[in-house]
């Protein structure tokens, strides 16, 4: 039994989705091509359709159609079925693809099958059904970011109105990570209290791995070895100081493609002599590391983000160890380590100067990605992020490059440039702030001028008409005289 044009019965299969529920597999393969019982999911369906007399299968696709066509055409040709790709320019739901393929379907008066690729219910996870993992190194005391870290652990300090750590966890979750291990040695209880509820809402399991002594950058992996070995999947490792457009999905794909033990994210810097640089060949295979080169050999440095196979854990002992100096060189010598080049901005925001630079870069990136999050109004200049609960007076000039947190009050006539104002701070009328971080619940008086990477800790009061240039003011201080030269005010 065939239609008027002798092509037989037809079927349309909806394959347009991104397969997010089947991550991390679908970061490398479209879901229909993932092998189920040693055969792509889609082939199980096509074989059953062919067995029922179907001669033509239409695939309604919107994502990675070229890869599917390349891998399926030859196999379906041998099965005697004609494969047609119907390309959606935008998601059309579950009925719209039929309208898009209307002309093909109407060539025959025969009924046609409509099938969903997700009828084969599979959930790709690790051995114990938790999915991909990540370990974040948060063990340090945050001394470079004092006085802020005298009140809050560094990972909880708000960067662009969100704890630094949450920027990283959100990006990991978006890449399919289901379990995040925090390697901690300092104020773990406070971090657990503040993060558990938020991460639970995100659908990620948060585990705290407690160091009894500082274990460097590799030792924490040995400490969490039993957790990391529960899944055969590679796992991410990152430093808690890093902010960028996190490329975890692309990093995973690159790592899977080269098939070796580890991948380091590298980023380009202007002054490589300040850092250890990474040398690698055209394929990305790392050849050498050179610490603070005096002559130019490369401008690519380790960006503090990695993806590693569980086999790497056999290289690490439970003792203070540097992954950069002791583990990676050995992997490189065996050609087991590759470099993935970061696109976009990157910053280690572990000290005030870099925290503010990172904020500027982040706001620029935010304008490109999601400009509606940024503030607008007659008082706004350039990229400015303002929490909805903040109150801005009349005649103010805010920006460029300013972040204003929750419950902040900025009184009339204030001018703020290149600053972060944290929760509950008050900036009184006609004050002028540039390149500053204003701590939680601090009060800046009237006609005050702050500049030169001035940082106020929590609950600092600056009296009216004071000038501070580069002061680092410890929490709960009262500033009654001007500070014209950079200094720590205790």
């Amino acid at each position: 039994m065939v239609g008027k044009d002798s092509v037989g019965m037809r079927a349309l299969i909806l394959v347009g989705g991104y397969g997010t529920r089947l991550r991390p597999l679908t970061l490398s393969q479209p879901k229909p091509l993932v092998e189920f019982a040693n055969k792509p999911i889609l082939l199980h369906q096509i074989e059953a359709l062919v067995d029922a007399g179907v001669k033509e299968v239409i695939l309604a696709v919107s994502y990675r159609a070229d890869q599917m066509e390349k891998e399926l055409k030859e196999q379906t040709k041998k099965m005697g079925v004609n494969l047609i790709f119907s390309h959606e320019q935008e998601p059309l739901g579950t009925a719209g693809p039929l309208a898009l393929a209307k002309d093909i379907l109407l060539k025959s008066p025969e009924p046609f099958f409509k099938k969903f690729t997700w009828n084969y219910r599979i959930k790709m996870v690790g051995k114990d059904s938790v999915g991909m993992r990540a370990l974040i190194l948060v063990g340090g005391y945050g001394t470079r970011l004092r006085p802020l870290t005298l009140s809050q652990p560094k990972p909880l300090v708000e960067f662009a109105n969100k704890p630094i750590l949450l920027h990283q966890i959100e990006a990991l979750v978006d890449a399919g990570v289901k379990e995040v291990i925090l390697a901690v040695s300092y104020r773990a209880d406070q971090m657990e209290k503040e993060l558990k509820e938020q991460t639970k809402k995100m659908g990620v399991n948060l585990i705290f791995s407690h160091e009894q002594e500082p274990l460097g950058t590799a030792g924490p992996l040995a400490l969490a070895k039993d957790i990391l070995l529960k899944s055969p999947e590679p796992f991410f490792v990152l430093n808690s100081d890093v902010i960028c457009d996190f490329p975890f999905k692309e990093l995973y794909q690159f790592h899977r493609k080269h098939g070796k033990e580890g991948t380091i994210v590298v980023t380009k810097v202007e002054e490589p002599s300040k850092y250890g640089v990474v040398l690698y060949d055209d394929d990305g295979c790392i050849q050498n590391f050179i610490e603070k080169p005096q002559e130019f050999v490369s401008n690519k440095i380790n960006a503090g983000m990695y993806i590693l196979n569980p086999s790497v854990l056999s290289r690490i002992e439970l003792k203070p160890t540097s992954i950069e100096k002791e583990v990676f060189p050995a992997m490189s010598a065996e050609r087991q380590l590759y470099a993935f080049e970061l696109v976009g901005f990157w910053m280690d925001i572990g000290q005030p100067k870099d925290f503010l630079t990172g904020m500027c870069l982040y706001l620029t990136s935010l304008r490109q990605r999601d400009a509606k999050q940024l503030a607008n109004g007659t008082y706004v200049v350039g990229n400015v992020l303002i929490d909805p609960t903040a109150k801005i007076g009349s005649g103010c000039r805010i920006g460029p490059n300013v972040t204003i947190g929750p419950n902040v009050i900025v009184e009339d006539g204030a001018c703020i440039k290149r600053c972060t104002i944290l929760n509950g701070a008050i900036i009184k009328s006609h004050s002028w702030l540039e390149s500053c971080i204003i701590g939680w619940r601090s009060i800046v008086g009237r006609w005050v001028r702050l500049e030169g990477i001035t940082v106020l800790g929590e609950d600092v009061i600056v009296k009216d008409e004071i000038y501070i240039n580069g002061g680092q003011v410890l929490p709960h201080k009262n500033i009654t005289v001007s500070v014209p030269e950079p200094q720590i005010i205790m």
Side-chain angles (χ1 to χ4, degrees):
M1 184 173 79
V2 294
K4 290 179 181 176
D5 57 348
S6 299
V7 297
M9 291 185 69
R10 294 176 171 84
L12 183 140
I13 304 179
L14 302 169
V15 295
Y18 290 92
T20 53
R21 295 183 302 163
L22 199 52
R23 285 178 178 169
L25 288 185
T26 49
L27 296 173
S28 300
Q29 284 273 49
K31 181 170 64 177
L33 297 184
V34 173
E35 291 90 343
F36 175 78
N38 291 342
K39 190 186 297 178
I41 296 170
L42 204 56
L43 279 186
H44 286 275
Q45 299 181 326
I46 293 173
E47 285 178 355
L49 290 165
V50 170
D51 192 50
V54 169
K55 297 293 184 182
E56 193 164 74
V57 174
I58 304 157
L59 300 186
V61 295
S62 62
Y63 176 61
R64 293 162 82 173
D66 292 343
Q67 188 177 351
M68 280 189 268
E69 187 166 359
K70 181 180 176 184
E71 295 199 29
L72 291 172
K73 274 282 190 185
E74 195 60 33
Q75 297 180 68
T76 52
K77 188 177 178 182
K78 291 176 183 177
M79 295 161 61
V81 65
N82 184 30
L83 201 61
I84 298 174
F85 287 81
S86 176
H87 297 265
E88 299 176 29
Q89 300 305 309
E90 60 178 337
L92 294 174
T94 54
L98 277 70
L100 186 64
K102 181 180 177 180
D103 291 343
I104 303 169
L105 294 169
L106 286 177
K107 285 181 180 178
S108 168
E110 289 296 314
F112 58 87
F113 294 100
K114 181 169 82 98
K115 197 164 181 64
F116 297 84
T117 58
W118 53 82
N119 283 353
Y120 288 92
R121 298 217 174 261
I122 312 165
K123 187 180 179 185
M124 168 57 199
V125 293
K127 287 179 183 175
D128 59 345
S129 298
V130 297
M132 285 187 73
R133 294 173 169 85
L135 185 142
I136 304 179
L137 301 166
V138 295
Y141 291 95
T143 52
R144 295 183 302 156
L145 201 54
R146 286 179 178 169
L148 297 177
T149 48
L150 296 172
S151 300
Q152 285 272 49
K154 182 172 59 180
L156 296 184
V157 173
E158 294 93 334
F159 176 87
N161 289 348
K162 188 187 301 178
I164 296 169
L165 204 55
L166 277 186
H167 287 275
Q168 300 179 327
I169 293 174
E170 285 179 356
L172 288 165
V173 169
D174 190 51
V177 169
K178 296 294 183 183
E179 193 163 78
V180 174
I181 304 157
L182 299 185
V184 295
S185 62
Y186 173 65
R187 295 163 82 171
D189 291 343
Q190 187 176 352
M191 279 190 266
E192 187 165 0
K193 180 182 175 183
E194 296 203 27
L195 290 172
K196 273 283 188 183
E197 195 60 36
Q198 296 182 67
T199 51
K200 188 177 179 181
K201 291 176 184 175
M202 294 160 63
V204 63
N205 185 30
L206 201 60
I207 296 175
F208 287 81
S209 177
H210 297 263
E211 301 176 32
Q212 300 305 309
E213 62 172 336
L215 290 173
T217 53
L221 277 70
L223 186 63
K225 182 177 180 179
D226 290 345
I227 304 170
L228 293 169
L229 285 177
K230 285 181 180 178
S231 169
E233 285 296 313
F235 55 87
F236 296 104
V237 179
L238 59 155
N239 298 333
S240 63
D241 293 345
V242 170
I243 195 75
C244 63
D245 288 329
F246 295 105
F248 296 125
K249 295 176 188 176
E250 296 84 357
L251 175 60
Y252 178 88
Q253 291 173 338
F254 177 80
H255 179 74
R256 280 298 200 192
K257 185 177 179 181
H258 68 66
K260 301 300 182 182
E261 266 196 316
T263 307
I264 298 176
V265 178
V266 297
T267 186
K268 182 178 177 180
V269 293
E270 296 299 323
E271 297 183 61
S273 60
K274 291 182 178 180
Y275 306 90
V277 299
V278 184
L279 302 180
Y280 49 93
D281 63 22
D282 291 342
D283 294 326
C285 185
I286 293 176
Q287 299 169 324
N288 201 4
F289 299 89
I290 300 178
E291 189 64 28
K292 297 182 179 178
Q294 295 309 301
E295 295 182 3
F296 182 87
V297 290
S298 169
N299 59 0
K300 301 292 181 13
I301 68 164
N302 180 347
M305 293 176 284
Y306 324 117
I307 184 168
L308 306 171
N309 290 348
S311 58
V312 170
L313 297 170
S314 64
R315 299 175 178 270
I316 305 169
E317 296 181 39
L318 183 52
K319 64 179 184 179
T321 312
S322 166
I323 199 167
E324 299 87 354
K325 295 179 181 179
E326 298 174 65
V327 180
F328 286 160
M331 292 172 66
S332 171
E334 297 171 22
R335 298 184 65 81
Q336 286 292 324
L337 194 60
Y338 274 65
F340 172 87
E341 294 185 3
L342 179 68
V343 176
F345 82 98
W346 173 89
M347 185 57 62
D348 176 334
I349 55 175
Q351 56 188 357
K353 177 175 176 286
D354 296 333
F355 186 97
L356 290 172
T357 300
M359 178 197 66
C360 299
L361 295 171
Y362 176 85
L363 292 177
T364 299
S365 173
L366 186 60
R367 178 166 293 283
Q368 295 166 355
R369 290 183 289 110
D370 192 6
K372 65 179 182 293
Q373 287 193 42
L374 297 174
N376 52 60
T378 56
Y379 59 89
V380 172
V381 180
N383 298 329
V384 175
L385 187 63
I386 301 178
D387 187 90
T389 61
K391 297 178 181 177
I392 311 296
S394 63
C396 292
R397 184 182 187 274
I398 311 295
N401 298 314
V402 172
T403 299
I404 295 179
N407 307 305
V408 168
I409 298 173
V410 180
E411 294 185 355
D412 298 350
C415 179
I416 305 174
K417 308 176 186 176
R418 200 173 182 270
C419 292
T420 287
I421 316 295
L422 296 174
N423 191 347
I426 299 173
I427 312 300
K428 293 196 172 180
S429 57
H430 305 292
S431 285
W432 192 94
L433 285 68
E434 182 170 7
S435 296
C436 302
I437 304 174
I438 307 302
W440 307 274
R441 293 168 295 283
S442 288
I443 300 173
V444 175
R446 296 174 182 84
W447 297 100
V448 166
R449 183 180 179 115
L450 307 179
E451 61 185 354
I453 321 293
T454 289
V455 183
L456 305 186
E458 179 187 15
D459 188 33
V460 169
I461 298 174
V462 180
K463 295 295 186 181
D464 295 348
E465 301 180 24
I466 294 293
Y467 171 61
I468 302 178
N469 175 26
Q472 311 285 302
V473 186
L474 271 61
H476 315 298
K477 299 298 174 187
N478 241 352
I479 307 300
T480 58
V481 295
S482 291
V483 183
E485 299 295 332
Q487 60 179 279
I488 297 172
I489 302 166
M490 303 178 66

